Amino acid sequence: MRNKKREKQADQQFWGTFYYMNVPKHIPGIPMHVEQVRFRLYDHVDDDHLIRMVQGIKSVGQLDLDETDITNEGIAELVKLDYITELRLKGCHDITNEAMSFICDIKGLELLHLIGTSITTAGFQQIGKLTSLKKLLIRADRDDPLLEEIYINLPKDCEFIVDYKRYPFSE
């Protein structure tokens, strides 16, 4: 009984903060779509926060998880949403190549920011599944031969940014 009460309080606290930060006051309850979620504004955000969010909403315009403690398991939860337009994971060191299979299954992604994650260029085999992608930001060695392969597999008009420089690089 105590665990249920503690869980209910945690849920109320989460939605109270989430609601306060992201939903206009004139909208009663939790909306099905939230335009912008900025978890980096909170301390110690982890996978449990994503699980709670996914259980309460259907879609997100911009999901900003920069500098949070999200792991591959949290990213796996995001595929349950109807869509995410923008996913920012800058500085999420616990996100590895394993997360790419989940990321590539997220519907509607137009912007994907992965600088500062532990995803290597070898993790991008499935990037072509993101047919809506318009901008991809990653960190990699400029001489990495896999950059060309990633670039070729991106949608035709997708901007490919490597270490904040547009690829292919112009000298």
Side-chain angles (χ1 to χ4, degrees):
M1 183 71 163
R2 265 194 159 142
N3 285 339
K4 284 186 179 183
K5 184 176 182 179
R6 197 172 305 139
E7 180 64 27
K8 185 176 179 181
Q9 286 175 332
D11 201 47
Q12 287 173 337
Q13 181 181 10
F14 172 80
W15 285 109
T17 304
F18 186 82
Y19 178 90
Y20 176 76
M21 295 298 292
N22 300 292
V23 181
K25 294 185 187 308
H26 69 278
I27 298 176
I30 303 164
M32 292 288 101
H33 172 77
V34 178
E35 194 54 44
Q36 186 177 58
V37 179
R38 290 180 149 183
F39 276 119
R40 70 172 151 170
L41 300 174
Y42 304 99
D43 290 331
H44 310 295
V45 172
D46 59 22
D47 296 338
D48 289 337
H49 293 94
L50 280 185
I51 292 167
R52 286 185 198 281
M53 182 195 75
V54 168
Q55 289 171 347
I57 65 173
K58 296 276 186 205
S59 60
V60 179
Q62 180 193 69
L63 181 55
D64 185 343
L65 297 167
D66 289 354
E67 309 294 335
T68 60
D69 296 324
I70 301 303
T71 69
N72 297 338
E73 290 77 26
I75 298 301
E77 292 294 314
L78 297 179
V79 300
K80 296 177 183 175
L81 294 172
D82 289 347
Y83 69 89
I84 300 171
T85 307
E86 212 173 286
L87 180 59
R88 297 175 177 273
L89 298 168
K90 184 178 90 175
C92 294
H93 306 290
D94 294 329
I95 304 297
T96 67
N97 288 354
E98 182 183 318
M100 283 306 294
S101 63
F102 305 119
I103 290 171
C104 290
D105 284 339
I106 295 173
K107 294 175 233 46
L109 267 182
E110 294 179 7
L111 183 142
L112 180 58
H113 193 311
L114 299 173
I115 292 177
T117 65
S118 296
I119 298 172
T120 67
T121 53
F124 286 90
Q125 295 96 355
Q126 299 178 50
I127 197 69
K129 290 172 65 176
L130 294 173
T131 57
S132 314
L133 200 61
K134 295 179 181 172
K135 189 171 193 173
L136 173 64
L137 296 96
I138 69 167
R139 174 154 288 142
D141 182 344
R142 290 181 78 167
D143 297 324
D144 189 325
L146 292 176
L147 289 179
E148 181 68 18
E149 187 177 327
I150 294 168
Y151 183 66
I152 289 169
N153 288 314
L154 289 171
K156 184 180 179 211
D157 294 323
C158 182
E159 187 177 8
F160 186 31
I161 309 294
V162 179
D163 290 330
Y164 300 104
K165 293 184 176 34
R166 189 180 179 123
Y167 185 90
F169 305 117
S170 57
E171 300 305 324

